């Protein structure tokens, strides 16, 4: 019997948690991650954070201290500033040292997974999607079903997200 693992997700995007929840379900269905992995959101944040808010550290500490989460996965947009730089700044600002906190940074924004699935490499994925497909941010959760998981295997943020889910 596999051990059930609960990972809490925090992201910048109002529609992000539902999107990631659907991505996790797709990963389970594809056999990429075990069925025993669950994702949760912190009730008062609705899974959403402002990475520059110093209160984030307390939210993360509370999630880990009450044992409702085995790990916290923080998802951030780099907006072209460099994923490593954004992760370093976030960890320093929030003074995060715990191995139970994984930071996944998108080179641009979460929509890079959608454009990568379409075989398109764009500097501004959400603008591209808006101009070519009439995309609205509120549609983000519905886009999880259309992701090409094989196409995403070369995208650093996707690979880091999958590893964060799989790693106990």
């Amino acid at each position: 019997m596999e051990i059930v693992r609960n990972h809490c997700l925090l992201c910048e995007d109002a529609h992000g948690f539902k999107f990631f929840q659907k991505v996790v379900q797709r990963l389970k269905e594809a056999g990429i991650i075990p069925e025993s992995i669950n994702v949760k959101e912190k009730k008062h944040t609705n899974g959403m954070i402002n990475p520059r808010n110093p209160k984030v550290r307390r939210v993360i500490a509370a999630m880990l201290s009450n044992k409702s989460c085995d790990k916290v996965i923080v998802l951030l947009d780099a907006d072209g500033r460099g994923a490593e730089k954004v992760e370093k700044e976030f960890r320093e600002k929030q003074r995060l040292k715990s191995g139970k906190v994984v930071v996944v940074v998108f080179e641009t924004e979460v929509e890079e997974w959608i454009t990568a699935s379409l075989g398109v490499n764009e500097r501004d994925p959400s603008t591209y999607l808006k101009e070519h497909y009439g995309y609205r941010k509120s549609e983000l959760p519905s886009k999880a079903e259309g992701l090409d998981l094989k196409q995403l295997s070369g995208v650093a943020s996707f690979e880091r997200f999958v590893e964060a889910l799989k790693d106990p």
Side-chain angles (χ1 to χ4, degrees), residues 108-124:
T108 53
E109 57 192 348
V110 65
E111 284 82 2
E112 71 188 40
W113 288 6
I114 301 168
T115 55
S117 288
L118 296 169
V120 175
N121 185 5
E122 273 294 317
R123 287 187 188 271
D124 187 353

Side-chain angles (χ1 to χ4, degrees), residues 23-37:
V23 170
V24 167
Q25 187 57 43
R26 296 259 337 270
L27 292 168
K28 288 179 183 182
E29 291 166 2
I32 296 171
I33 63 170
E35 287 285 333
S36 60
I37 294 174

Side-chain angles (χ1 to χ4, degrees), residues 23-155:
V23 170
V24 167
Q25 187 57 43
R26 296 259 337 270
L27 292 168
K28 288 179 183 182
E29 291 166 2
I32 296 171
I33 63 170
E35 287 285 333
S36 60
I37 294 174
N38 297 315
V39 292
K40 303 166 79 175
E41 62 183 332
K42 185 71 176 160
K43 293 281 187 265
H44 69 276
T45 66
N46 296 319
M48 193 173 124
I49 58 159
N50 172 350
R52 289 162 273 305
N53 187 331
K55 293 180 184 177
V56 171
R57 180 177 60 250
R58 292 194 301 269
V59 170
I60 291 170
M63 294 168 110
L64 293 171
S65 69
N66 70 13
K67 307 286 187 216
S68 65
C69 298
D70 299 308
K71 181 188 298 181
V72 175
I73 302 173
V74 181
L75 299 124
L76 303 173
D77 298 338
D79 297 317
R81 294 178 294 139
E84 288 179 15
K85 178 182 178 185
V86 169
E87 178 177 356
K88 183 178 182 226
E89 287 172 358
F90 179 77
R91 284 191 173 280
E92 287 173 358
K93 179 152 189 92
Q94 300 301 335
R95 293 183 249 148
L96 298 175
K97 294 175 182 74
S98 171
K100 292 184 177 232
V101 179
V102 176
V103 180
V104 176
V105 183
F106 301 98
E107 283 297 328
T108 53
E109 57 192 348
V110 65
E111 284 82 2
E112 71 188 40
W113 288 6
I114 301 168
T115 55
S117 288
L118 296 169
V120 175
N121 185 5
E122 273 294 317
R123 287 187 188 271
D124 187 353
S126 58
T127 298
Y128 174 85
L129 292 168
K130 182 179 180 179
E131 290 172 356
H132 291 84
Y133 299 94
Y135 171 77
R136 292 185 322 263
K137 200 71 159 169
S138 61
E139 297 173 9
L140 181 61
S142 69
K143 297 300 181 187
E145 287 102 29
L147 292 178
D148 183 334
L149 301 178
K150 287 183 180 157
Q151 283 275 102
L152 289 174
S153 65
V155 177

